[in-house]
């Protein structure tokens, strides 16, 4: 049995898009029209609530997901700094 064999990748494009969408909703900023299908999935997934007036707001689950993704971005930046300090390139 192999242990400790998982790959660790930096945050991907889909997660970055998700974070941007959640952040924009939280800040009540306009969304890119291309994000509308994602918003529908976020509402269906319980991360975002939509009022009858069409207003969007993060649910508690959406807030937690946003925090998690922000931590992921921060940890990726810290890891990049460690690699830079060691004189190594990212994989």
């Amino acid at each position: 049995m192999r242990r400790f064999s998982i790959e660790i990748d930096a945050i991907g494009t889909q997660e970055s898009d998700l974070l941007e969408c959640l952040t924009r909703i939280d800040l009540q900023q306009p969304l890119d029209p291309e994000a509308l299908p994602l918003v529908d999935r976020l509402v269906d997934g319980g991360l975002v609530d939509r009022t009858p007036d069409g207003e969007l707001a993060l649910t508690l689950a959406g807030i937690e997901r946003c925090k998690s993704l922000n931590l992921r971005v921060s940890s990726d930046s810290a890891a990049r700094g460690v690699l830079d300090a060691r004189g190594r390139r990212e994989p």
Side-chain angles (χ1 to χ4, degrees), residues 31-85:
L31 295 168
D32 188 314
E34 292 180 13
L36 297 180
L38 175 57
V39 171
D40 291 336
R41 292 195 311 270
L42 294 174
V43 170
D44 292 343
L47 298 176
V48 172
D49 280 332
R50 181 180 288 145
T51 67
D53 298 335
E55 296 289 319
L56 300 171
L58 298 182
T59 64
L60 184 56
I63 292 168
E64 291 302 317
R65 186 64 178 269
C66 196
K67 286 180 186 178
S68 173
L69 290 168
N70 273 309
L71 286 173
R72 177 85 188 271
V73 169
S74 295
S75 68
D76 287 351
S77 295
R80 191 172 14 262
V82 168
L83 291 175
D84 288 346

Side-chain angles (χ1 to χ4, degrees), residues 5-52:
S5 61
I6 65 168
E7 286 190 34
I8 299 173
D9 296 320
I11 192 167
T13 305
Q14 290 180 339
E15 290 172 312
S16 293
D17 291 346
L18 173 59
L19 176 58
E20 180 181 352
C21 191
L22 291 172
T23 301
R24 286 178 175 270
I25 290 169
D26 188 45
L27 298 174
Q28 296 295 304
Q29 294 178 343
L31 295 168
D32 188 314
E34 292 180 13
L36 297 180
L38 175 57
V39 171
D40 291 336
R41 292 195 311 270
L42 294 174
V43 170
D44 292 343
L47 298 176
V48 172
D49 280 332
R50 181 180 288 145
T51 67

